[in-house]
Amino acid sequence: MTSLPLFTLAAVAGDGCLGIPSGRPNSVYLSFTHSADQREYLVYKMNRINEELGTKGTVSRPRAVYDSRTNKYYMSCQSMVVNPALKELYSLFYLDGEKRFTSRVLNLLGLEALAIFWMDDGNVGATTSAVNKGILNLYRPLGEARLVCDWIQELTGVEAKPYRDGSSYRVRICRSLMPRFLAKIRPFVHTSMRKKVTLYFSHYNTKSKREYETSLTIPFVDEGDKAARARSKCAV
């Protein structure tokens, strides 16, 4: 198991989609679709996957892609690779042709995987009632949501809770715990996705605000300590 391509496995946990091409039962592909404004992040992900798998995947230029869920077109970027190593990931992560979160998978994944998962499917609430709350758009059954919550707490020491949304469940982190959570994943977050780890505070000097401002000195995965310190001095 230690020889598994763990960054690639982490990417599957988020927006990555594994599939078997029609008429090619012994092949497995990994594909991604991201909004056009996340192209830089997708390029970073594909570069890491190419290094790990020895592939030469590229990222398309933005183009209009139809989304059947909303019946609208969105400017999106896409990428795909095919590699024999993906067969093992498919058998590990997919049951009956559907992605499933199991203890077997989550036990292989660490903080970098959680950061990728958050950049892909997480966000910080911005409305008045949800400001600074963390929401992971999991959309899985309750059992899987609970496993993911336990995984998050084991990695970060932060309690996450499942909450129902229609027939499935998402994951929520309360606002008071978000500074601690974001500090844990920040070293693995790409600068182009900084909005996913940005909190908003008033002028009041609260404990959460102080904890968050301290975390701003932690560099993103693609920058150095000096850049992080300079940015933190300019933070509001």
Side-chain angles (χ1 to χ4, degrees), residues 6-35:
L6 293 181
F7 185 91
T8 306
L9 180 63
V12 174
D15 285 341
C17 177
L18 292 173
I20 300 174
S22 178
R24 298 172 60 188
N26 294 321
S27 296
V28 175
Y29 65 81
L30 171 60
S31 65
F32 299 92
T33 298
H34 278 265
S35 62

Side-chain angles (χ1 to χ4, degrees), residues 142-160:
L142 179 59
E144 291 182 49
R146 284 175 171 163
L147 286 175
V148 170
C149 289
D150 291 344
W151 174 62
I152 290 172
Q153 183 158 12
E154 181 179 349
L155 290 176
T156 67
V158 170
E159 183 182 26

Side-chain angles (χ1 to χ4, degrees), residues 62-228:
R63 63 186 183 88
V65 175
Y66 177 71
D67 189 335
S68 59
R69 296 170 300 178
T70 60
N71 197 30
K72 294 180 180 179
Y73 284 88
Y74 299 92
M75 293 302 293
S76 304
C77 300
Q78 296 176 310
S79 189
M80 185 176 73
V81 293
V82 180
N83 187 273
L86 297 175
K87 291 181 65 177
E88 188 172 4
L89 300 192
Y90 186 90
S91 64
L92 181 66
F93 221 133
Y94 281 65
L95 300 175
D96 299 323
E98 183 180 358
K99 186 190 298 185
R100 302 284 180 86
F101 290 90
T102 64
S103 296
R104 184 185 178 200
V105 169
L106 294 173
N107 287 341
L108 294 169
L109 301 176
L111 281 171
E112 183 172 40
L114 178 55
I116 296 167
F117 200 1
W118 186 260
M119 286 187 285
D120 284 358
D121 293 326
N123 64 275
V124 176
T127 62
T128 301
S129 61
V131 65
N132 288 351
K133 290 181 180 179
I135 301 169
L136 183 61
N137 298 307
L138 184 64
Y139 294 113
R140 300 300 305 164
L142 179 59
E144 291 182 49
R146 284 175 171 163
L147 286 175
V148 170
C149 289
D150 291 344
W151 174 62
I152 290 172
Q153 183 158 12
E154 181 179 349
L155 290 176
T156 67
V158 170
E159 183 182 26
K161 296 181 178 181
Y163 75 97
R164 188 165 189 157
D165 187 345
S167 60
S168 57
Y169 287 81
R170 296 197 280 175
V171 169
R172 179 181 290 153
I173 299 172
C174 72
R175 59 173 59 92
S176 65
L177 296 178
M178 280 298 288
R180 189 187 315 170
F181 171 76
L182 296 182
K184 290 288 187 179
I185 66 171
R186 188 182 177 93
F188 306 101
V189 171
H190 194 268
T191 52
S192 65
M193 301 297 282
R194 67 173 69 244
K195 66 182 180 181
K196 296 291 187 108
V197 292
T198 298
L199 301 180
Y200 305 91
F201 291 95
S202 68
H203 64 280
Y204 294 107
N205 186 20
T206 64
K207 179 182 178 181
S208 291
K209 182 179 180 181
R210 292 193 300 272
E211 196 173 358
Y212 171 67
E213 289 179 341
T214 298
S215 74
L216 296 179
T217 61
I218 301 171
F220 289 118
V221 68
D222 55 322
E223 69 177 4
D225 293 338
K226 184 176 180 180

